[in-house]
């Protein structure tokens, strides 16, 4: 077995996990294990709550450890040689000190069951908090420290800080051995690591409970796989097994517990500001009454100048990233150069050589688990749940980052495409719509899809040669550069900035920039691929250098003078300027009903996202025209064409979604009021009526028009996916494809939040209301056809639209109340129109119109 541990990640490569026999433990060890547990985690089935286990006799350390092996490190761990039971050694000076506890899941339970049963998926790193050991008679308590609230030390209120805001006793550990002067203790720790006292998992959702399906920790199967120890951190990997009372098979989760020491130095925390995107540690000052009580600390490194008095000075200790020796040789130079790009940013903040890069030697006697090394790992797993990941270990009290780790998943930048294979395997619903509100990052998933899109555009271009190998190779280099810069940004403390792509004009992105000008405001966004011309663009397809926001944000987080109110205010007053816009994941509009600013969305580009989307959708329509001729090859299956078709449909639907968010959108400006009264511009500005009408016109053509599937109809007969074993074959899903595109817009336009904002638009300062939008939507869906016959895609859309209107009319959801009068009027008008046209067009169209009339009659006049 070979195990690699990282500050947030342990990667396990083994032929098979050993079976650790706990059931045959000696009486003393069985007793110590059970006595170390508290709560239901350690109680045997049927055991009474009133039963008191006998307390073990405290032995000398020499006597107790004679049949155990020691794994030395921050907290020495003793392990029984026969049973695998573990014990933790503490020194007296470690008791009463704060330590960072954090977790990481290496292999978990994904999919619907994993989510509903709260069984964590791979990549999960939810826990990062402070703990403290406390001696209480013959036990050592492990106490979670409260860090979310504070009171000024000189305030009398500080005496009451822990009232209703106290620390939490997580568990108590029996002292098994100690030395005579009470300077060293050994405590039973098996239950600490195999139970769930320090974290929660397996909290079944109401949906599963309704079906009587519940997971339960199986204590007999759960076992400690491995212990790794280092001078500044200790890590224990546990195989948790949950049994279901019925339904799913037992679930196994590889879970890593970690304890880390806090550096002993004069780190100065820096307060957060909502106009800049850093990850934060939330703290509320309960004694504040004359201002906002928020005193959130940004996450950042203790990066100091060698000569603090100089405007430019080298870092005392650079942030050093180690490229793991498992990284393919051909990628290392690109990775190194991408990391070092951040030195340009720090130099403008006054710190020179702030970042360094080394390659882990092949004969290194340390691994990625040692918290003293910040690793860039290149891994390969069969079914990764993340593609790029940038976790950090943080002191929750101060926000100081003490270690970080970057993981690059081989599946995200596959070697096959590096060697010019055409398309990557794409996940279900490959529109990149994954949540990423920590450093866990879906950016590489987006890159996988966009690299395939770039290749499709290169090959399908009418003037292309059917190869495009050299342009694609350069695009791949750009994408890897961007990926690494993005993940390094996370480890520096920066959160996503989904508004940063709202920067350059379409003319600039089509060739109006010089090579030394960035194409986005920041590398912390998820931009669309910058391909607007046939065969690709002369400009980078991805950000390959930091943008103005990156310089501005790092200056705020690491530069001098930000503790001076005047200097800080002057710097932050630039918020909202071109290139310095900011919007994080919480404001992201990709999910229905979430966010209000349409500029805060991934996979858009330029300061005219609607125009950019239209240009790329036109490219996709063109590409479809000759796609079959370009991709079908003698003697080969049709699978390549199927994948290309699905990919282009997904990208197309993503652009439809981007356009739709401008309808009912409200621009949010981050700038605070200026010094003059006339500078108090409202930070909330509804998207103008002209912009919303432009978006609706684009949706009428590209989402609801009669020809959205026409360009590829010529090759529908060739869309035969490659059979694998007994997978069978299926016909192309024309209606499903159309619904994917249409729903990207329709679901947003008819969502309660959108309709409510549109109905309130006059009060918000807008002029394009719900009545006008619904009228435009009705025109887009029912009009614009030459003659009176509709194809199957439009007929299906019309029926779905009417059904959705009826749902709104009948829905008990209160936000719909403002829009209901418009919906009733619209249904009445549609019924009259369908009655007028019920005898026109072909048989299918006439039947559909009569059916729509019946649907509305039943809804508005039930029982008649």
């Amino acid at each position: 077995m070979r195990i690699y541990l990282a500050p947030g990640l342990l990667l396990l490569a083994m032929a098979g996990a050993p079976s650790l026999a706990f059931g045959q433990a000696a009486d003393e060890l069985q007793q110590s294990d059970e006595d170390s547990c508290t709560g239901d985690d350690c109680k045997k089935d049927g055991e009474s709550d009133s039963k008191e286990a006998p307390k073990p006799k405290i032995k000398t350390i020499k006597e107790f450890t004679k049949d155990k092996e020691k794994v030395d490190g921050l907290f020495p761990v003793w392990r029984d040689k026969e049973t695998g039971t573990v014990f933790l050694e503490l020194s007296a000076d470690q008791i009463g000190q704060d330590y960072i506890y954090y977790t990481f899941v290496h292999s978990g339970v994904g999919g619907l069951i994993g989510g509903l049963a709260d069984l964590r998926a791979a990549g999960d790193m939810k826990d990062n908090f402070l703990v403290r050991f406390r001696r209480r008679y013959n036990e050592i308590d492990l106490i979670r420290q409260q860090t979310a609230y504070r009171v000024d030390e000189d305030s009398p209120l500080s005496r009451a800080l822990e009232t209703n805001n106290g620390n939490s006793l997580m568990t108590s550990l029996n002292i098994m051995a100690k030395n005579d002067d009470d300077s060293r203790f050994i405590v039973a720790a098996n239950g600490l690591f195999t139970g769930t006292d320090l974290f929660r998992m397996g909290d079944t959702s109401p949906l599963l409970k309704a079906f009587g399906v519940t997971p339960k920790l199986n204590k007999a199967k759960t076992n400690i796989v491995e212990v790794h120890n280092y001078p500044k951190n200790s890590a224990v990997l546990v195989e948790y097994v949950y049994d279901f009372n019925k339904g799913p098979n037992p679930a196994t989760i590889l879970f890593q517990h970690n304890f880390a020491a806090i550096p002993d130095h004069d780190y100065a925390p820096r307060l957060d500001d909502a106009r800049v995107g850093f990850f934060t540690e939330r703290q509320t000052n309960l004694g504040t009454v004359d201002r906002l009580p928020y005193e959130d600390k940004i996450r950042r490194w203790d990066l100091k100048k060698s000569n603090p008095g100089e405007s430019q000075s080298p870092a005392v200790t650079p942030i050093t990233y180690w490229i793991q020796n498992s990284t393919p040789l051909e990628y290392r130079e690109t990775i190194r150069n991408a990391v070092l790009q951040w030195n340009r940013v720090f130099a403008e903040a006054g710190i020179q050589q702030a970042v360094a890069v080394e390659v882990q030697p092949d004969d290194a006697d340390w691994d990625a688990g040692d918290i003293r090394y910040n690793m860039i790992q290149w891994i390969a797993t069969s079914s990764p749940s993340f593609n790029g990941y940038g976790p950090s270990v943080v002191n929750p009290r101060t926000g100081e980052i003490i270690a970080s780790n970057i993981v690059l998943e081989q599946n995200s930048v596959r070697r096959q495409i590096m060697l010019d294979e055409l398309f990557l395997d794409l996940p279900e619903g490959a529109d990149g719509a994954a949540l990423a509100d920590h450093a866990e990052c879906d950016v590489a998933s987006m890159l996988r899809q966009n690299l395939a899109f770039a290749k499709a555009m290169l090959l399908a271009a009418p003037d292309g040669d059917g190869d495009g190998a050299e342009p694609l190779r350069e695009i791949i280099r750009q994408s890897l550069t961007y990926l690494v810069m993005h993940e390094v940004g996370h480890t520096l403390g920066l959160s996503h900035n989904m508004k940063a792509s709202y920067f350059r004009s379409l003319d600039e992105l089509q060739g109006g920039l010089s090579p030394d000008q960035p194409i986005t405001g920041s590398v912390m966004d998820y931009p669309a691929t910058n391909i607007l011309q046939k065969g690709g663009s002369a400009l980078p397809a991805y950000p390959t250098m930091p943008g103005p926001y990156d310089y501005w944000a790092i200056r705020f987080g690491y530069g001098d003078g930000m503790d001076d109110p005047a200097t800080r205010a002057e710097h932050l007053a630039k918020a909202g300027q071109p290139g310095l816009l900011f919007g994080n994941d919480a404001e992201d509009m990709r999910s229905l009903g979430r966010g209000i600013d349409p500029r805060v969305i991934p996979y858009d580009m330029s300061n005219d996202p609607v125009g950019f989307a239209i240009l790329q959708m036109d490219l996709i329509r063109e590409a479809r025209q000759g796609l079959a001729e370009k991709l079908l090859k003698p003697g080969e299956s049709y699978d390549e064409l199927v994948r290309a078709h699905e990919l282009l449909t997904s990208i197309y639907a993503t652009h439809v979604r981007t356009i739709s968010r401008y309808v009912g959108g409200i621009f949010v400006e981050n700038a605070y009021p200026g010094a003059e009264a006339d500078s108090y511009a409202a930070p909330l500005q509804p998207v103008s009526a002209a912009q919303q009408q432009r978006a609706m016109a684009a949706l009428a053509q590209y989402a609801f028009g009669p020809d959205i599937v026409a360009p590829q109809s010529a090759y529908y007969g060739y869309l035969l996916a490659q059979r694998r074993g007994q997978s069978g074959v299926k016909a192309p899903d024309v209606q499903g494809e159309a619904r994917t595109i249409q729903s990207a817009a329709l679901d947003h336009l008819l969502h309660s939040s959108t309709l409510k904002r549109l109905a309130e638009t006059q009060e918000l300062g807008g002029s394009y209301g719900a009545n006008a939008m619904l009228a435009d939507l009705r025109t887009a869906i029912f009009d614009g056809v030459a003659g009176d016959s509709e194809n199957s895609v439009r007929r299906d859309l019309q029926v779905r639209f009417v059904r959705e209107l009826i749902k709104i009319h009948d829905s008990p959801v209160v936000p719909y109340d403002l829009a209901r009068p418009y919906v009733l009027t619209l249904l009445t008008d549609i019924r009259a129109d369908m009655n007028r046209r019920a005898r026109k067009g072909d048989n299918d169209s006439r039947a559909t119109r009569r059916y729509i009339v019946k649907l509305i009659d039943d809804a508005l006049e039930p029982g008649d």
Side-chain angles (χ1 to χ4, degrees):
M1 175 171 23
R2 174 69 172 165
I3 294 179
Y4 300 95
L5 287 115
L9 178 69
L10 180 150
L11 304 172
L12 183 63
M14 58 184 177
S19 175
L20 303 179
F22 295 116
Q24 302 301 315
D27 292 341
E28 175 194 275
L29 298 179
Q30 284 182 318
Q31 180 182 13
S32 65
D33 183 26
E34 293 167 7
D35 291 343
S36 70
C37 300
T38 60
D40 291 337
D41 290 330
C42 305
K43 197 180 358 175
K44 293 181 179 179
D45 293 339
E47 186 177 52
S48 170
D49 287 328
S50 62
K51 179 179 178 180
E52 292 187 6
K55 296 295 182 181
K57 178 183 177 182
I58 297 178
K59 300 181 177 181
T60 66
I61 290 180
K62 181 177 180 181
E63 179 186 8
F64 184 79
T65 59
K66 62 184 179 181
D67 56 350
K68 299 172 182 64
E69 58 184 358
K70 185 179 183 181
V71 184
D72 212 352
L74 174 67
F75 295 108
V77 176
W78 293 90
R79 195 164 195 181
D80 187 273
K81 296 178 183 179
E82 295 184 2
T83 67
T85 306
V86 300
F87 304 86
L88 204 63
E89 180 178 330
L90 302 169
S91 63
D93 58 1
Q94 289 176 321
I95 295 175
Q97 297 295 318
D98 286 341
Y99 293 91
I100 300 171
Y101 171 80
Y102 60 100
T103 64
F104 184 78
V105 176
H106 300 279
S107 177
V109 183
L112 183 62
I113 289 295
L116 292 177
D118 187 36
L119 297 176
R120 301 184 182 188
D124 180 286
M125 189 181 174
K126 291 180 181 176
D127 306 296
N128 185 304
F129 52 81
L130 293 182
V131 296
R132 184 179 296 179
F133 294 97
R134 177 187 69 184
R135 184 181 180 185
R136 182 167 52 87
Y137 301 107
N138 290 334
E139 294 180 330
I140 300 292
D141 297 331
L142 186 58
I143 302 172
R144 176 171 176 167
Q145 301 298 294
Q146 180 279 122
T147 58
Y149 302 99
R150 64 172 299 271
V151 173
D152 294 337
E153 292 181 1
D154 58 354
S155 170
L157 191 59
S158 62
R159 301 186 183 98
L161 176 60
E162 293 191 8
T163 302
N164 296 332
N165 304 303
N167 302 324
S168 301
L169 196 158
M170 308 300 287
T171 190
S172 296
L173 310 174
N174 287 326
I175 297 176
M176 307 302 298
K178 66 183 184 69
N179 58 6
D180 292 339
D181 61 358
D182 281 5
S183 61
R184 291 167 58 207
F185 304 89
I186 294 179
V187 296
N190 220 74
L192 173 68
F193 295 120
T194 58
T196 56
D197 288 322
L198 289 174
F199 67 98
R200 291 292 177 263
M201 185 164 58
D203 185 13
T204 304
S205 71
L207 179 61
L208 280 187
K209 288 179 180 177
F211 289 98
V213 177
T214 57
K216 182 178 181 181
L217 179 66
N218 188 314
K219 298 184 290 292
K221 294 180 183 177
T222 296
N223 66 93
I224 294 174
V225 176
E226 188 60 271
V227 176
H228 271 220
N229 234 334
Y230 309 95
K232 294 186 177 181
N233 65 292
S234 300
V236 177
L237 179 69
V238 179
E239 187 177 63
Y240 284 94
V241 180
Y242 281 81
D243 292 331
F244 289 88
N245 59 329
K246 62 180 180 179
N249 292 325
T252 300
I253 298 97
L254 278 175
F255 188 93
Q256 182 179 329
H257 300 271
N258 304 274
F259 290 97
I262 297 175
D264 183 16
H265 54 228
D266 57 344
Y267 174 79
R270 182 158 294 178
L271 292 178
D272 172 52
D273 189 277
R275 293 165 285 184
V276 190
F278 275 82
F279 296 117
T280 62
E281 296 300 324
R282 290 191 178 187
Q283 290 184 3
T284 301
N285 190 329
L286 299 180
T288 299
V289 294
D290 57 349
R291 58 180 173 81
L292 280 175
Y294 308 148
E295 296 182 2
D296 301 345
K297 310 299 192 301
I298 66 171
R299 295 183 185 178
R300 63 183 189 129
W301 294 84
D302 183 41
L303 195 61
K304 291 184 172 69
K305 291 180 177 180
S306 298
N307 302 300
E310 298 181 2
S311 60
Q312 292 280 326
S313 175
V316 174
T317 305
I319 305 168
T320 301
Y321 294 89
W322 291 83
I323 299 175
Q324 193 177 41
N325 53 22
S326 63
T327 304
L329 297 177
E330 60 267 34
Y331 307 151
R332 293 184 182 182
E333 192 62 23
T334 298
I335 293 172
R336 177 193 296 274
N337 292 338
V339 175
L340 294 178
Q341 287 260 32
W342 284 100
N343 273 335
R344 301 166 55 185
V345 181
F346 278 102
E348 288 209 6
I351 307 175
Q352 300 169 326
Q353 292 90 53
V355 175
V357 182
E358 302 286 348
V359 177
Q360 181 188 27
D362 291 338
D363 59 352
D365 59 359
W366 51 271
D367 58 40
D370 195 328
I371 207 170
R372 296 173 297 175
Y373 298 90
N374 306 303
M375 296 297 295
I376 299 176
Q377 296 180 273
W378 193 284
I379 67 171
T381 52
S382 59
S383 300
S385 65
F386 59 88
N387 298 281
Y389 190 65
S392 298
V393 181
V394 182
N395 181 345
R397 206 182 299 281
T398 65
E400 181 188 2
I401 300 173
I402 65 171
S404 67
N405 192 68
I406 294 172
V407 181
L408 304 178
E409 167 59 56
Q410 174 81 355
N411 252 0
S412 69
V413 194
R414 282 194 177 181
R415 188 175 180 82
Q416 291 95 318
I417 198 169
M418 292 291 184
L419 300 175
D420 304 327
E421 185 186 31
L422 178 58
F423 294 112
L424 299 171
D425 291 329
L426 296 172
E428 286 290 323
D431 63 351
L435 296 177
D437 47 13
H438 289 91
E440 184 174 352
C441 194
D442 196 48
V443 61
S445 180
M446 174 268 289
L447 286 177
R448 292 175 60 204
Q449 176 170 275
N450 286 358
L451 282 172
F453 172 67
K455 183 69 179 248
M457 293 297 100
L458 290 170
L459 293 187
D463 55 352
D465 59 6
D467 179 12
E470 287 305 320
L472 179 65
R473 195 170 289 116
E474 173 57 21
I475 288 175
I476 291 169
R477 186 196 66 78
Q478 294 169 8
S479 71
L480 183 56
T481 297
Y482 159 64
L483 171 63
V484 174
M485 291 182 64
H486 182 103
E487 298 298 353
V488 170
H490 280 319
T491 65
L492 298 174
L494 295 177
S495 65
H496 285 136
N497 180 1
M498 295 303 187
K499 201 186 283 190
S501 56
Y502 193 88
F503 182 39
R504 297 298 189 185
S505 69
L506 291 177
D507 287 341
E508 287 176 317
L509 293 177
Q510 287 177 299
L513 296 173
S514 63
D516 61 347
Q517 292 180 288
I519 63 173
T520 61
S522 171
V523 296
M524 302 312 297
D525 201 344
Y526 288 4
T529 313
N530 182 37
I531 294 179
L532 293 178
Q533 301 170 351
K534 297 183 182 71
S537 170
L539 289 175
Y542 302 99
T544 56
M545 63 186 72
Y549 170 85
D550 300 317
Y551 288 89
W552 181 68
I554 290 296
R555 170 79 176 83
F556 169 77
Y558 291 89
D560 293 333
M562 290 301 148
D563 296 322
D564 173 62
T567 302
R568 180 184 174 98
E570 180 183 3
H571 183 76
L572 292 172
K574 299 175 183 177
Q577 294 180 4
L580 303 184
L581 300 180
F582 168 66
N584 64 16
D585 294 294
E587 304 169 62
D588 175 2
M589 282 198 79
R590 80 184 105 171
S591 299
L592 288 172
R594 183 177 180 182
I596 60 176
D597 191 332
R599 299 171 297 179
V600 188
I601 194 168
Y603 322 118
D604 66 344
M605 193 67 168
S606 87
N607 59 13
D608 180 11
V610 173
F612 183 93
I614 290 172
L615 289 175
Q616 278 213 339
M617 288 190 294
D618 284 338
L619 275 180
I620 290 171
R621 287 187 167 197
E622 271 189 65
R624 285 168 168 169
Q625 306 264 345
L627 203 60
E629 290 79 1
K630 292 283 186 179
L631 299 183
L632 295 182
K633 300 171 185 176
E636 296 185 10
S637 76
Y638 303 96
D639 201 63
E640 202 165 69
L641 177 63
V642 173
R643 291 175 182 273
H645 172 73
E646 292 174 349
L647 169 72
L648 294 182
T649 299
S650 176
I651 297 285
Y652 190 99
T654 297
H655 287 311
V656 167
R657 180 184 65 189
T658 295
I659 294 172
S660 74
R661 274 27 178 196
Y662 279 79
V663 181
I666 298 176
F667 291 148
V668 181
E669 303 303 337
N670 286 337
Y672 286 1
E676 303 298 329
D678 59 2
S679 68
Y680 287 18
L684 301 176
Q685 296 288 339
V687 176
S688 70
Q691 287 175 291
Q692 294 191 63
Q693 288 166 339
R694 180 194 180 205
M696 287 298 295
L699 294 175
Q701 178 180 351
Y702 291 93
F704 306 132
D707 63 342
I708 63 170
V709 297
Q712 67 266 26
S713 59
Y715 65 69
Y716 267 127
Y718 297 93
L719 296 180
L720 177 64
Q722 177 66 42
R723 181 189 294 108
R724 297 190 70 185
Q726 301 299 314
S727 63
V729 297
K730 61 181 180 180
D733 186 3
V734 179
Q735 296 299 332
E737 175 186 316
R739 286 188 175 201
T740 296
I741 293 170
Q742 294 159 349
S743 295
L746 192 63
D747 292 350
H748 167 76
L749 297 176
L750 298 181
H751 193 275
S752 60
S753 297
T754 307
L755 289 173
K756 183 175 181 292
R757 286 198 300 272
L758 287 168
E760 298 170 334
T761 190
Q762 289 185 336
E763 287 77 13
L764 296 172
S767 58
Y768 186 72
N771 193 30
M773 187 277 287
L774 289 170
D776 287 344
L777 183 56
R778 176 238 172 141
T779 298
I781 292 175
F782 284 96
D783 295 349
V785 177
D788 286 299
S789 297
E790 304 273 15
N791 62 28
S792 64
V793 170
R794 286 268 291 191
R795 295 195 305 272
D796 178 70
L797 172 62
Q798 290 165 358
V799 172
R800 284 198 300 126
F801 177 50
V802 170
R803 287 186 181 278
E804 292 302 317
L805 292 177
I806 292 172
K807 286 181 184 178
I808 294 171
H809 177 268
D810 296 337
S811 172
V813 177
V814 172
Y816 279 130
D817 286 347
L818 289 172
R820 259 187 265 272
Y822 309 128
V823 170
L824 176 60
T825 301
L826 191 60
L827 284 170
T828 303
D829 291 345
I830 292 173
R831 177 171 59 179
D833 184 42
M834 294 295 97
N835 271 321
R836 283 193 301 270
R837 298 168 61 185
R839 297 179 181 274
K840 297 180 180 180
D842 57 24
N843 289 333
D844 292 332
S845 300
R846 294 199 299 271
T848 299
R849 289 162 189 155
R850 288 192 293 269
Y851 179 64
I852 289 174
V853 170
K854 180 68 165 57
L855 285 175
I856 298 175
D857 283 344
D858 291 345
L860 301 186
E861 302 166 13
D864 289 353

